[in-house]
Amino acid sequence: MKIQGMELLKISLLVPILCIFSFADGGSIGVNYGRIANNLPSAAKVVELMKSQGIDRVKMYDTDPAVLKALSGSAIKVVVNLPNEQLANAAKRPSFANAWVFRNVVAYYPSTAIEAIAIGNEVFVDTHNTTRFLIPAMKNIHQALAKYKLDDTVKVSSPVALSALQNSYPSSAGSFRSDLIEPVFKPMLEFLRQTGSSLMVNIYPFFAYESNAGVISLDYALFRENPGVVDAGNGLRYFSLFDAQIDAVFAAMSALKYNDVKITVTETGWPSKGDSNEAGASIENAAGYNGNLVRRILTGGGTPLRPHEDLTVYLFALFNENEKFGPTSERNFGLFYPNEKKVYNIPFTAEGLKRYRDSSPKHSPATGGKQRVSPGTSNGQTWCVASAQAGKDKLQAALDYACGEGGADCHPIQPGSTCFDPNTLQAHASFAFNSYYQKKGRIIGTCYFGGAAYIVSQQPKYGKCEFPTGY
């Protein structure tokens, strides 16, 4: 352990070093630019809107020339899409793939910062039975990129829905559909490994919550303070449905021996409005989910199964789209109205996060709108402790921050003080994290430390050392 005794008192002199525990160390946030609407602003105005909000990544559902031209020179990184209806041609005809890449990528790159091509979208649920064309299309498009020497800079993948999993609960039992493993997932994951690409996944905790509102805690779905859910298969505790769903995909990949392939979340979001039978669809919940998700991603840290892996996540969607079919929620996933006004106020950048608070009320339908109190809780009180899975380096950096710039009371963990024993990094970090958490009023996001901490509902105690409940 690097920090012991009176050295704790010197940490305030090390503030420049503590920038390693900054928001900038986290993942990346982008948006999906869907355009199934008849009232959206021009592409040029949309690009200016994204720039004004600090949005530096966008995913398209086509290769519209007006949009790609508008993005030229903006430095916004772009994912373009080869639609499902073109998969067959791209798979059967290398000449088609070459022409498509030249027309839709080479013609704009590098002025338009195209970084990836999404081949199809949720192909396995496409009613036109295009699954058999997916892998050949991906390979032909990649070969076309190689022809123009872009295969190292423009990645190729395909967004899959969570329904591609045969099992998703508990996360440790995650597995792909058996009918897709040999023909699709093994060759796809091998392709992604060889090309250094990530698996694109669309993940929507909203749909799981909507279907199981009586079972799933709303706070668990919205990244709010909750007791967590323990995965009986691996013993890990989950504090968000989002993390649990991602880890189910990681577990499915691991079962096929592809632990080294990363994940990009190409779609996730929460509707601000829904029909009467669409539980949880509201402006307050959409703001809570997306705002807390942005905090979760930009402050860094991976999932319980992969704690060191930062994520790139694309929010769905930029605008409400008035011509989409289906229930009311389908037309109300937008972050902005077509007049460019925010549907609700959330940040998209690390700088914006410094001023952001999730101010919407905590509640759970299963308890009549009141915050659920789990067994073993003392009047709903919670504490913050260090995660053993975080690793020594991350725990040390977070402990340095908490005792220094964070202002935690770390005197009790100095030699000879009540909470010095046990003299371990995890125990000392837990005390410091909890001090910081309690001093900040236990507001959302103050027990995270880049993925090095989590909330518990039983008061921690080490020998004579009891963790405080407030200051």
Side-chain angles (χ1 to χ4, degrees):
M1 183 174 179
K2 298 177 183 176
I3 298 181
Q4 291 186 356
M6 296 304 292
E7 289 180 324
L8 288 169
L9 301 180
K10 302 176 184 177
I11 297 174
S12 59
L13 302 176
L14 305 177
V15 171
I17 298 174
L18 297 176
C19 63
I20 60 173
F21 182 64
S22 67
F23 285 128
D25 284 343
S28 178
I29 290 290
V31 295
N32 282 276
Y33 181 17
R35 304 197 318 281
I36 305 177
N38 59 14
N39 56 357
L40 299 183
S42 68
K45 286 185 176 181
V46 171
V47 171
E48 288 306 311
L49 174 65
M50 288 192 288
K51 289 167 63 177
S52 73
Q53 297 295 322
I55 296 170
D56 60 5
R57 273 193 159 92
V58 65
K59 176 173 158 284
M60 300 168 56
Y61 290 91
D62 53 23
T63 52
D64 186 283
V67 177
L68 291 174
K69 287 177 184 176
L71 286 162
S72 177
S74 68
I76 296 173
K77 295 180 172 123
V78 185
V79 178
V80 295
N81 178 246
L82 183 142
N84 289 356
E85 54 267 25
Q86 296 183 17
L87 283 177
N89 282 333
K92 296 175 180 178
R93 298 164 47 203
S95 60
F96 176 91
N98 288 337
W100 189 93
V101 166
F102 181 80
R103 185 173 63 252
N104 297 301
V105 179
V106 178
Y108 300 98
Y109 186 90
S111 295
T112 299
I114 299 171
E115 64 173 345
I117 302 171
I119 307 299
N121 186 58
E122 300 189 347
V123 172
F124 310 141
V125 295
D126 185 358
T127 57
H128 296 95
N129 193 26
T130 52
T131 298
R132 66 188 185 277
F133 301 122
L134 179 58
I135 304 304
M138 292 175 71
K139 291 181 176 179
N140 282 345
I141 291 293
H142 181 260
Q143 287 169 0
L145 288 168
K147 176 181 178 181
Y148 298 105
K149 296 181 171 53
L150 291 176
D151 51 311
D152 285 337
T153 52
V154 180
K155 301 301 180 181
V156 175
S157 187
S158 180
V160 301
L162 204 63
S163 58
L165 295 185
Q166 187 161 304
N167 296 303
S168 60
Y169 181 83
S171 299
S172 58
S175 61
F176 293 117
R177 279 171 40 189
S178 56
D179 62 309
L180 296 174
I181 289 176
E182 293 298 333
V184 182
F185 274 109
K186 281 189 175 179
M188 180 193 285
L189 291 169
E190 185 61 31
F191 171 85
L192 298 177
R193 171 185 280 168
Q194 295 298 326
T195 59
S197 303
S198 60
L199 178 65
M200 295 177 169
V201 184
N202 297 342
I203 289 179
Y204 286 93
F206 167 72
F207 294 122
Y209 173 78
E210 177 201 18
S211 303
N212 301 276
V215 178
I216 298 174
S217 162
L218 184 58
D219 293 330
Y220 181 67
L222 299 180
F223 299 93
R224 293 183 180 141
E225 187 177 302
N226 66 89
V229 176
V230 175
D231 186 319
N234 57 24
L236 296 175
R237 184 178 292 270
Y238 287 86
F239 293 94
S240 75
L241 184 53
F242 176 85
D243 278 2
Q245 291 182 329
I246 291 179
D247 272 359
V249 182
F250 276 137
M253 294 163 64
S254 180
L256 301 182
K257 311 300 182 187
Y258 286 94
N259 302 64
D260 54 323
V261 176
K262 294 181 178 294
I263 283 179
T264 295
V265 179
T266 34
E267 286 184 24
T268 191
W270 197 284
S272 59
K273 186 178 180 182
D275 296 321
S276 59
N277 64 340
E278 293 188 282
S282 71
I283 284 182
E284 293 78 14
N285 291 341
Y289 178 81
N290 284 317
N292 290 328
L293 173 64
V294 170
R295 183 195 304 281
R296 157 76 177 80
I297 297 303
L298 294 186
T299 53
T303 64
L305 196 59
R306 294 197 184 180
H308 304 294
E309 188 155 325
D310 291 330
L311 294 168
T312 295
V313 173
Y314 291 82
L315 302 178
F316 184 86
L318 194 55
F319 295 104
N320 284 339
E321 299 172 73
N322 67 349
E323 292 188 327
K324 293 194 75 173
F325 295 107
T328 298
S329 63
E330 285 294 311
R331 293 174 289 284
N332 289 278
F333 271 89
L335 301 163
F336 294 87
Y337 294 111
N339 63 6
E340 301 181 48
K341 300 295 184 184
K342 281 187 173 183
V343 178
Y344 41 83
N345 189 35
I346 64 166
F348 302 102
T349 64
E351 185 63 31
L353 272 181
K354 296 177 181 178
R355 302 179 296 275
Y356 174 70
R357 293 290 181 272
D358 174 14
S359 57
S360 49
K362 296 178 183 179
H363 58 285
S364 171
T367 55
K370 299 180 180 179
Q371 171 70 7
R372 198 178 299 179
V373 178
S374 65
T377 303
S378 176
N379 297 322
Q381 181 60 266
T382 54
W383 295 263
C384 182
V385 297
S387 169
Q389 283 79 36
K392 182 179 178 180
D393 291 344
K394 179 170 281 190
L395 279 182
Q396 188 68 57
L399 173 60
D400 291 352
Y401 172 83
C403 291
E405 184 181 358
D409 179 11
C410 295
H411 292 281
I413 55 177
Q414 295 181 55
S417 295
T418 310
C419 295
F420 178 72
D421 289 321
N423 181 19
T424 67
L425 177 59
Q426 186 180 352
H428 286 195
S430 290
F431 187 90
F433 293 173
N434 182 66
S435 174
Y436 177 89
Y437 175 63
Q438 302 295 339
K439 282 191 171 188
K440 294 294 183 180
R442 304 188 300 278
I443 62 174
I444 192 75
T446 57
C447 181
Y448 190 67
F449 294 94
Y454 62 93
I455 294 167
V456 297
S457 56
Q458 299 238 12
Q459 186 172 20
K461 184 176 181 180
Y462 298 112
K464 296 180 180 179
C465 177
E466 284 194 7
F467 283 28
T469 57
Y471 289 90

